[in-house]
Amino acid sequence: HPPYLRARLPELLDLAQKVSGIHSGDHPETSEVLDALTALKEAFEPHLAKEEERLFPLLCELEKAAGGKMEKQPAGPPCDKAVPMVLAAHNHNKGLLGQIRKLTNHFTPPGDACYSFQRLWKGLQELERDMHHHLHLENNILLIRAQDYEKRTAAYRLSTGS
């Protein structure tokens, strides 16, 4: 997922700048889409970096610790601190995706849309689909699993006195 986003967001931004530059006079929503897409990129890139640098390694450590395979406590913030921060970032990004969906009339290009305009709307729809899948996996599987691992780790430490 992160490699897809790192490649796709700049491509879509370039296309959005082109479409907005040409069509914003007749279609002011193209400028608003550009602004929302820029905000999404600016919010999501640091979020992806934090996930790769902190969250995913913490999940791996928690999984090992939950199975009693680690001697030390996992590094990083506990899940009760990390999960709300991740969920807040996800909700913010979902809000931007919703804004883009609304601005694009559910990704329906106007009748006078040129090929680039149509490609942009289609690309934004694909981006939304990919990001919703990513957010679903993290919110409903990974983060819940992390909280479970943390509980199991605490129970294991209590039972072994470590």
Side-chain angles (χ1 to χ4, degrees):
H1 175 74
Y4 167 81
L5 282 179
R6 284 196 180 95
R8 198 64 178 132
L9 280 171
E11 291 171 0
L12 286 171
L13 267 172
D14 288 345
L15 190 54
Q17 288 171 339
K18 176 182 174 181
V19 169
S20 177
I22 294 168
H23 296 284
S24 63
D26 293 330
H27 296 284
E29 71 275 10
T30 59
S31 293
E32 294 175 74
V33 167
L34 175 60
D35 292 343
L37 188 59
T38 300
L40 183 66
K41 183 179 184 290
E42 289 172 358
F44 215 71
E45 285 182 340
H47 174 75
L48 284 174
K50 286 178 188 174
E51 285 183 342
E52 290 177 328
E53 293 168 12
R54 297 182 198 152
L55 181 63
F56 297 146
L58 175 62
L59 291 172
C60 290
E61 288 182 9
L62 284 168
E63 184 175 15
K64 289 177 190 173
K69 297 176 185 157
M70 276 185 70
E71 295 297 319
K72 62 184 178 68
Q73 183 69 21
C79 286
D80 65 340
K81 302 269 190 245
V83 169
M85 291 188 300
V86 172
L87 291 175
H90 286 180
N91 286 336
H92 174 73
N93 293 330
K94 283 185 348 189
L96 290 169
L97 289 170
Q99 181 182 356
I100 290 170
R101 173 174 275 281
K102 184 177 179 181
L103 289 167
T104 62
N105 190 27
H106 300 271
F107 309 107
T108 305
D112 63 342
C114 67
Y115 177 71
S116 294
F117 201 137
Q118 292 175 28
R119 266 189 34 232
L120 175 60
W121 263 218
K122 186 177 187 316
L124 291 169
Q125 185 175 26
E126 291 168 359
L127 177 74
E128 181 197 58
R129 186 179 314 116
D130 180 80
M131 288 184 69
H132 278 299
H133 179 71
H134 166 82
L135 296 172
H136 163 71
L137 291 175
E138 284 189 16
N139 291 354
N140 300 311
I141 297 172
L142 287 177
L143 296 178
I144 290 170
R145 189 176 291 168
Q147 291 170 318
D148 179 57
Y149 288 153
E150 191 167 69
K151 288 176 190 166
R152 287 171 42 201
T153 300
Y156 174 79
R157 295 202 185 291
L158 282 174
S159 70
T160 61
S162 52

